[in-house]
Coordinates of all heavy atoms in Angstrom, one line a residue:
Q13 N 37.3 177.2 175.5 CA 37.5 176.5 174.2 C 37.4 177.4 173.2 O 36.5 178.3 173.1 CB 36.4 175.4 174.1 CG 36.4 174.5 173.0 CD 36.1 175.1 171.6 OE1 35.2 176.0 171.5 NE2 36.9 174.7 170.6
G14 N 38.4 177.5 172.2 CA 38.3 178.3 171.1 C 39.5 179.2 170.8 O 39.6 180.0 170.0
V15 N 40.6 179.0 171.6 CA 41.9 179.6 171.2 C 42.6 178.9 170.2 O 42.8 177.6 170.3 CB 42.8 179.7 172.5 CG1 44.1 180.4 172.1 CG2 42.1 180.5 173.6
A16 N 43.0 179.5 169.1 CA 43.7 178.9 168.0 C 45.2 179.5 168.1 O 46.2 178.8 167.9 CB 43.2 179.1 166.7
N17 N 45.2 180.8 168.4 CA 46.5 181.5 168.5 C 46.3 182.8 169.2 O 45.1 183.1 169.7 CB 47.1 181.8 167.1 CG 46.0 182.5 166.2 OD1 45.4 183.4 166.6 ND2 45.8 181.9 165.0
F19 N 45.8 185.7 168.3 CA 44.9 186.6 167.7 C 43.4 186.2 167.9 O 42.5 186.9 167.6 CB 45.1 186.7 166.2 CG 46.5 187.1 165.9 CD1 47.5 186.2 165.3 CD2 46.9 188.5 166.1 CE1 48.8 186.6 165.1 CE2 48.2 188.9 165.9 CZ 49.1 187.9 165.4
S20 N 43.2 185.0 168.4 CA 41.8 184.5 168.7 C 41.0 185.4 169.6 O 41.6 185.9 170.5 CB 41.9 183.1 169.2 OG 42.5 182.2 168.3
L21 N 39.7 185.6 169.3 CA 38.9 186.3 170.3 C 38.9 185.6 171.7 O 39.0 186.4 172.7 CB 37.4 186.3 169.8 CG 37.2 187.1 168.5 CD1 35.7 187.2 168.2 CD2 37.7 188.5 168.5
C22 N 39.1 184.3 171.7 CA 39.1 183.6 173.0 C 40.4 183.9 173.7 O 40.5 183.7 174.9 CB 38.9 182.1 172.8 SG 37.1 181.8 172.5
Q41 N 42.5 172.4 169.6 CA 41.6 171.5 168.7 C 42.4 170.3 168.3 O 41.8 169.2 168.2 CB 41.1 172.3 167.5 CG 40.3 171.4 166.6 CD 39.9 172.2 165.3 OE1 40.2 173.4 165.2 NE2 39.4 171.5 164.3
L45 N 47.6 172.9 166.5 CA 47.4 174.2 167.2 C 47.9 174.1 168.6 O 47.9 175.0 169.4 CB 45.9 174.5 167.2 CG 45.2 174.7 165.9 CD1 43.7 174.9 166.0 CD2 45.8 175.9 165.2
L64 N 40.9 169.1 172.7 CA 39.5 168.9 172.5 C 39.0 169.3 171.1 O 39.1 170.4 170.7 CB 38.8 169.9 173.5 CG 37.2 170.0 173.4 CD1 36.6 168.6 173.6 CD2 36.7 171.0 174.4
D65 N 38.6 168.2 170.4 CA 38.0 168.4 169.1 C 36.4 168.3 169.4 O 36.0 167.1 169.9 CB 38.4 167.4 168.1 CG 37.8 167.6 166.7 OD1 36.6 168.1 166.7 OD2 38.4 167.3 165.7
L66 N 35.6 169.2 169.1 CA 34.2 169.2 169.5 C 33.5 168.2 168.7 O 32.3 167.9 169.1 CB 33.5 170.6 169.3 CG 34.0 171.7 170.3 CD1 33.3 173.0 170.0 CD2 33.6 171.2 171.7
Q67 N 34.0 167.6 167.7 CA 33.3 166.6 166.9 C 33.5 165.2 167.5 O 33.0 164.3 167.1 CB 33.8 166.6 165.4 CG 33.3 167.9 164.7 CD 33.3 167.7 163.3 OE1 34.4 167.8 162.7 NE2 32.2 167.4 162.6
V91 N 32.7 178.7 175.0 CA 32.7 177.8 173.8 C 32.8 178.7 172.6 O 31.9 179.3 172.2 CB 31.5 176.8 173.7 CG1 31.7 175.9 172.5 CG2 31.4 176.0 175.0
G92 N 34.0 178.8 172.0 CA 34.2 179.7 170.8 C 34.4 179.1 169.5 O 34.7 179.8 168.5
A93 N 34.2 177.8 169.3 CA 34.5 177.2 168.1 C 33.6 177.6 167.0 O 32.3 177.7 167.3 CB 34.5 175.7 168.2
A94 N 34.0 177.7 165.7 CA 33.1 177.8 164.6 C 33.9 177.3 163.4 O 35.2 177.4 163.3 CB 32.9 179.3 164.3
F95 N 33.3 176.6 162.6 CA 33.9 176.1 161.4 C 32.9 175.8 160.3 O 31.8 175.3 160.4 CB 34.6 174.7 161.6 CG 35.4 174.2 160.5 CD1 36.6 174.8 160.2 CD2 34.9 173.2 159.7 CE1 37.3 174.4 159.1 CE2 35.7 172.8 158.6 CZ 36.9 173.4 158.3
V119 N 29.9 171.7 164.4 CA 30.9 172.3 165.2 C 30.4 173.6 165.8 O 30.6 173.8 167.0 CB 32.1 172.7 164.3 CG1 33.2 173.4 165.0 CG2 32.7 171.3 163.7
T145 N 29.2 182.0 174.7 CA 29.6 181.7 173.3 C 29.7 182.9 172.5 O 29.4 184.0 173.0 CB 28.7 180.6 172.7 OG1 29.2 180.1 171.5 CG2 27.4 181.2 172.4
L146 N 30.2 182.8 171.3 CA 30.5 184.0 170.4 C 29.7 183.9 169.1 O 29.6 182.8 168.4 CB 32.0 184.0 170.0 CG 32.8 184.4 171.2 CD1 34.3 183.9 171.1 CD2 32.8 185.9 171.4
T147 N 29.0 184.9 168.8 CA 28.2 184.9 167.6 C 28.4 186.2 166.8 O 29.3 187.0 167.1 CB 26.6 184.8 168.0 OG1 25.9 184.6 166.8 CG2 26.1 186.0 168.7
Y148 N 27.7 186.2 165.6 CA 27.9 187.4 164.7 C 26.6 187.8 164.1 O 25.6 187.0 163.9 CB 28.9 187.0 163.6 CG 29.1 188.1 162.7 CD1 29.5 189.3 163.2 CD2 29.0 187.9 161.3 CE1 29.8 190.4 162.2 CE2 29.2 188.9 160.4 CZ 29.6 190.1 160.9 OH 29.8 191.2 160.0
Y158 N 28.8 185.0 154.3 CA 28.8 184.3 155.6 C 28.0 183.0 155.4 O 28.2 182.1 156.1 CB 28.3 185.2 156.7 CG 29.4 185.9 157.4 CD1 29.9 187.0 156.8 CD2 30.0 185.5 158.5 CE1 31.0 187.7 157.3 CE2 31.1 186.1 159.1 CZ 31.6 187.2 158.5 OH 32.7 187.8 159.1
M161 N 27.5 179.8 157.7 CA 28.0 180.2 159.0 C 27.0 181.1 159.7 O 26.7 181.0 160.9 CB 29.3 180.9 159.0 CG 29.9 181.2 160.3 SD 30.0 179.8 161.5 CE 31.1 178.8 160.8
K165 N 25.0 180.5 163.2 CA 24.9 181.5 164.2 C 23.5 181.7 164.7 O 23.2 181.9 165.9 CB 25.7 182.8 163.9 CG 27.1 182.7 163.7 CD 27.9 182.2 164.9 CE 29.4 182.4 164.8 NZ 30.0 181.6 165.9
I189 N 28.0 186.6 173.1 CA 28.5 187.9 172.8 C 28.5 188.0 171.2 O 29.1 187.1 170.5 CB 30.0 188.1 173.2 CG1 30.0 188.0 174.8 CG2 30.6 189.5 172.8 CD1 31.5 188.0 175.3
S190 N 27.8 189.0 170.7 CA 27.9 189.2 169.3 C 29.0 190.2 168.9 O 28.8 191.4 169.1 CB 26.5 189.7 168.8 OG 26.5 189.7 167.3
S191 N 30.1 189.7 168.4 CA 31.3 190.5 168.2 C 31.2 191.2 166.9 O 30.7 190.7 165.9 CB 32.5 189.7 168.3 OG 33.7 190.4 167.8
G192 N 31.6 192.5 166.7 CA 32.0 193.0 165.4 C 33.0 192.2 164.8 O 33.7 191.5 165.4
P193 N 33.2 192.5 163.5 CA 34.3 191.7 162.7 C 35.7 192.1 163.2 O 36.0 193.3 163.4 CB 34.1 192.2 161.3 CG 33.4 193.5 161.4 CD 32.6 193.5 162.6
V194 N 36.5 191.1 163.5 CA 37.9 191.1 163.9 C 38.7 190.2 163.0 O 38.3 189.1 162.7 CB 38.0 190.7 165.4 CG1 39.4 190.8 165.8 CG2 37.1 191.5 166.2
R195 N 39.9 190.6 162.6 CA 40.7 189.8 161.7 C 41.3 188.6 162.6 O 42.2 188.9 163.4 CB 41.9 190.6 161.1 CG 42.6 189.9 160.0 CD 43.7 190.7 159.5 NE 43.2 191.8 158.6 CZ 42.9 191.7 157.3 NH1 43.0 190.5 156.8 NH2 42.4 192.7 156.6
T196 N 40.8 187.5 162.4 CA 41.4 186.2 163.0 C 41.4 185.1 161.9 O 41.0 185.4 160.8 CB 40.4 185.8 164.1 OG1 39.1 185.4 163.4 CG2 40.1 186.8 165.2
A197 N 41.9 184.0 162.4 CA 42.1 182.9 161.4 C 40.7 182.5 160.8 O 40.5 182.4 159.6 CB 42.7 181.7 162.0
A198 N 39.7 182.4 161.7 CA 38.3 182.0 161.3 C 37.8 183.1 160.3 O 37.2 182.8 159.3 CB 37.4 181.8 162.5
A199 N 37.9 184.4 160.7 CA 37.4 185.5 159.9 C 38.0 185.5 158.5 O 37.3 185.8 157.5 CB 37.6 186.8 160.6
V205 N 36.2 189.8 154.1 CA 36.1 190.3 155.4 C 37.1 191.4 155.7 O 36.7 192.3 156.5 CB 36.2 189.1 156.5 CG1 37.6 188.8 156.9 CG2 35.3 189.4 157.6
Ligands
NAD1 N1 36.5 187.3 164.1 C1 35.3 187.7 163.9 O1 35.1 188.7 163.1 C2 34.2 187.2 164.7 C3 33.0 187.9 164.7 C4 31.9 187.4 165.4 C5 31.9 186.1 166.0 N2 33.1 185.5 165.9 C6 33.2 184.1 166.4 O2 34.2 184.0 167.4 C7 34.6 182.7 167.6 C8 36.1 182.6 167.6 O3 36.5 182.8 166.4 P1 37.8 183.7 166.0 O4 37.4 184.8 165.1 O5 38.5 184.1 167.3 O6 38.7 182.8 165.2 P2 39.8 181.6 165.6 O7 40.1 181.0 164.3 O8 40.9 182.2 166.3 O9 39.0 180.7 166.4 C9 38.1 179.7 166.0 C10 38.3 178.4 166.9 O10 37.4 177.4 166.5 C11 38.1 176.2 166.7 N3 37.5 175.0 166.1 C12 37.1 174.8 164.8 N4 36.7 173.6 164.6 C13 36.8 172.9 165.8 C14 36.5 171.6 166.3 N5 36.0 170.7 165.5 N6 36.7 171.3 167.6 C15 37.3 172.3 168.5 N7 37.5 173.6 168.1 C16 37.3 173.9 166.8 C17 39.5 176.5 166.2 O11 40.5 175.6 166.7 C18 39.7 177.9 166.8 O12 40.3 177.8 168.1 C19 33.9 181.9 166.5 O13 32.7 181.3 167.0 C20 33.5 183.0 165.5 O14 32.4 182.7 164.6 C21 34.2 185.9 165.2

Side-chain angles (χ1 to χ4, degrees):
Q13 185 288 322
V15 179
N17 52 48
F19 302 107
S20 297
L21 295 185
C22 287
Q41 184 190 348
L45 297 177
L64 176 60
D65 183 328
L66 288 180
Q67 290 196 283
V91 180
F95 185 76
V119 175
T145 192
L146 289 157
T147 187
Y148 180 54
Y158 273 80
M161 184 51 69
K165 292 304 191 194
I189 299 171
S190 187
S191 170
V194 181
R195 194 181 283 279
T196 61
V205 86

